[in-house]
Amino acid sequence: MTVTVNANAEKEIKIIVNGVELKAETEAIIIDNRIMVPFRAIFEALEVNVDWIPDTGTIIGEKSDLIMELQPNNKIAKINGKEVELDVAVKVIDGRTLVPIRFVAEEMKAKVDWEQSTRTVTITTDANIYENDNKNIVNTVGEASSENIINTIKHLTTQPRVVGSEFEREVAIFYADILKSYGYEVELQSFPFKTLSIDEILSINKNKSLDFNYTTFNGIGTNVIARKPANLNSNADILVISAHYDSESITNGVIDNATGVAAVMELANMLQEVSLDTEIRFILFSGEENFMYGSRYYVSKLKKDELERINNINIDSIGEEGDLYPIIGTFNGKANELTYLFDEYLNNQSLEIKKGPPSDYIAFEYAGCPAVTIAQYPSMLLTNIGGLISGDKIERIDIQKIKEITDMLYAIIVENFLRK
């Protein structure tokens, strides 16, 4: 899936650095979804001392205590001697050496924004925009961090996260603390759960039930709820971004659903300093593997006026390697009040609307709330061998798929709900 809109391909790309338009002998171009510019022009605009070694074509940029080294046709850069992989290699075209502008600017501690409608890159040099008290990256530039995504997946998948287990509770507390550090209002919602039989699941599905009239329970599960109120509007619409963090007992839940949790956590990171006209809630549900138990419980506790304002975008199993790509899943496979956002952003390209697989968005549908799930389905990895799910390994993750979904959702949210 590509999230680049090509409707304005005929327009040249404009680059503004600290309020001044960048002028270069060669126009900026897009290669593999990355904007490339002549290295000397961008280095000088950022007040970076630049040197060039003709024999190897090596570019050396130095500013303050940072030294950057780049080489043509090489995806490995060096930052203070440490190797860093680029999304796209440095290119030599018509005798001009072009470098990825976002990588260069961000490594030089600049803030980068991209306006699709005008094809304008805006760069501002502003120290101290990258770290908070916990030294987590504060991402306000609209591009997800692959490093953050993979670190979340690695942390989550050391063992199964079965609803009601000790590790499930540890995970809930851990991510609640991270969300608090981002500045969100955070609540741990405990719920008594019952392991459901097939007959009970069929009855719930038939009746779209949000009732919990059980006499016996198997344990206590935990939902993690982070909230950011809308700017100046206590009765604003509510956008719930959700993913389930529990897994079955026979898997560490890499695909299903550490991938979705990683996207939600990175979105929360990216949006922490963005002021919106819509209230946003990031929710990590548990009990999804027990027929959406945690999300149905959450929805059952919402007030009527909240239900009338809620929309839900759910993320479940999005990063498996291979040719399959995520879909926009709806309850009946048809467009609804939310799907138009994706159509508009993607210019009606490449993302299909289909009947979604079971996941937490169904709980919101039961309550009459517009909801979609972003899911890569069916999975290739759900093969039970010797009581374990084979192939559900980090090595089988395609980080780029998760990153593209996260970047897409960030753009949709900012374009449609940003404070005007």
Side-chain angles (χ1 to χ4, degrees):
M1 183 187 72
T2 176
V3 297
T4 299
V5 179
N6 297 316
N8 295 318
E10 71 281 359
K11 295 181 181 179
E12 70 176 64
I13 298 168
K14 183 184 294 186
I15 298 168
I16 308 296
V17 181
N18 291 329
V20 178
E21 184 173 355
L22 181 71
K23 298 295 184 182
E25 295 180 8
T26 301
E27 289 184 2
I29 61 173
I30 295 178
I31 299 176
D32 294 339
N33 288 342
R34 294 293 178 263
I35 297 172
M36 309 288 286
V37 295
F39 79 88
R40 191 173 294 276
I42 186 59
F43 274 54
E44 291 179 352
L46 293 171
E47 299 181 343
V48 176
N49 296 321
V50 61
D51 198 3
W52 181 60
I53 302 175
D55 292 346
T56 61
T58 301
I59 303 161
I60 301 175
E62 184 174 358
K63 184 176 183 179
S64 299
D65 58 351
L66 188 146
I67 300 175
M68 177 184 294
E69 298 177 53
L70 302 163
Q71 285 187 321
N73 303 315
N74 192 342
K75 290 187 72 173
I76 301 299
K78 288 185 179 180
I79 306 296
N80 290 340
K82 181 180 178 180
E83 292 188 348
V84 179
E85 186 173 0
L86 304 172
D87 291 323
V88 60
V90 174
K91 302 289 185 183
V92 178
I93 299 177
D94 295 332
R96 300 289 180 184
T97 302
L98 307 182
V99 298
I101 190 169
R102 184 182 289 278
F103 174 84
V104 169
E106 290 182 356
E107 288 295 336
M108 294 297 172
K109 302 296 185 278
K111 180 174 180 283
V112 183
D113 291 300
W114 165 249
E115 176 55 51
Q116 176 65 48
S117 61
T118 60
R119 289 170 65 83
T120 301
V121 178
T122 303
I123 299 174
T124 53
T125 55
D126 179 12
N128 302 319
I129 66 171
Y130 284 94
E131 293 188 351
N132 64 13
D133 291 339
N134 291 328
K135 297 184 179 180
N136 294 309
I137 295 174
V138 178
N139 189 332
T140 60
V141 298
E143 184 169 345
S145 163
S146 297
E147 182 180 3
N148 288 352
I149 290 169
I150 194 64
N151 284 343
T152 297
I153 294 172
K154 286 179 178 178
H155 172 265
L156 271 175
T157 56
T158 57
Q159 58 182 291
R161 306 175 299 280
V162 180
V163 59
S165 67
E166 182 178 345
F167 187 58
E168 178 237 34
R169 182 70 179 182
E170 289 177 7
V171 167
I173 293 170
F174 180 85
Y175 287 102
D177 287 343
I178 291 178
L179 291 164
K180 287 177 184 176
S181 77
Y182 292 163
Y184 295 104
E185 301 172 5
V186 180
E187 171 192 356
L188 289 175
Q189 182 185 53
S190 297
F191 56 89
F193 72 88
K194 177 184 184 298
T195 302
L196 300 170
S197 67
I198 294 297
D199 288 341
E200 287 170 327
I201 290 172
L202 291 175
S203 176
I204 290 168
N205 196 35
K206 178 181 178 181
N207 299 306
K208 298 184 177 181
S209 174
L210 295 171
D211 295 328
F212 293 84
N213 299 320
Y214 304 120
T215 56
T216 60
F217 296 93
N218 297 100
I220 303 294
T222 306
N223 293 327
V224 182
I225 305 162
R227 175 177 175 267
K228 182 176 185 177
N231 180 67
L232 303 178
N233 187 355
S234 60
N235 294 310
D237 288 342
I238 302 167
L239 179 63
V240 173
I241 308 293
S242 63
H244 75 91
Y245 72 95
D246 65 308
S247 73
E248 298 183 67
S249 61
I250 58 174
T251 174
N252 289 351
V254 178
I255 302 295
D256 184 12
N257 183 35
T259 57
V261 173
V264 169
M265 291 301 297
E266 182 61 3
L267 270 174
N269 177 25
M270 296 166 73
L271 288 165
Q272 62 181 290
E273 295 184 351
V274 178
S275 183
L276 302 172
D277 279 334
T278 294
E279 178 180 323
I280 192 163
R281 297 178 187 177
F282 296 99
I283 305 182
L284 304 182
F285 288 120
S286 189
E288 191 268 356
E289 302 293 355
N290 189 30
F291 203 70
M292 292 73 71
Y293 203 105
S295 55
R296 289 190 304 109
Y297 183 88
Y298 171 78
V299 172
S300 75
K301 299 300 180 181
L302 292 174
K303 298 177 182 177
K304 181 180 179 181
D305 73 298
E306 288 181 291
L307 290 172
E308 291 173 347
R309 294 182 284 131
I310 278 183
N311 298 274
N312 171 234
I313 298 176
N314 184 67
I315 310 173
D316 195 346
S317 306
I318 57 173
E320 186 178 347
E321 69 176 2
D323 295 334
L324 290 175
Y325 278 82
I327 63 165
I328 298 297
T330 61
F331 193 67
N332 57 10
K334 298 179 181 180
N336 63 20
E337 294 94 323
L338 274 179
T339 57
Y340 80 93
L341 297 177
F342 297 89
D343 289 340
E344 182 178 357
Y345 177 68
L346 292 170
N347 199 25
N348 297 309
Q349 298 178 51
S350 70
L351 198 65
E352 296 182 82
I353 298 174
K354 293 185 176 182
K355 184 176 175 61
S359 193
D360 290 306
Y361 74 104
I362 289 177
F364 293 90
E365 284 282 354
Y366 283 178
C369 303
V372 300
T373 188
I374 304 176
Q376 184 178 325
Y377 186 80
S379 172
M380 298 185 296
L381 299 183
L382 299 183
T383 302
N384 192 327
I385 299 177
L388 297 174
I389 292 181
S390 65
D392 191 29
K393 301 175 181 178
I394 290 178
E395 293 77 15
R396 300 291 302 275
I397 292 290
D398 185 341
I399 291 296
Q400 187 60 26
K401 289 183 182 180
I402 305 173
K403 187 176 183 304
E404 286 179 350
I405 290 295
T406 309
D407 288 340
M408 177 186 68
L409 289 175
Y410 176 88
I412 286 173
I413 292 168
V414 170
E415 289 174 10
N416 290 278
F417 307 115
L418 185 68
R419 178 172 59 86
K420 301 297 188 280

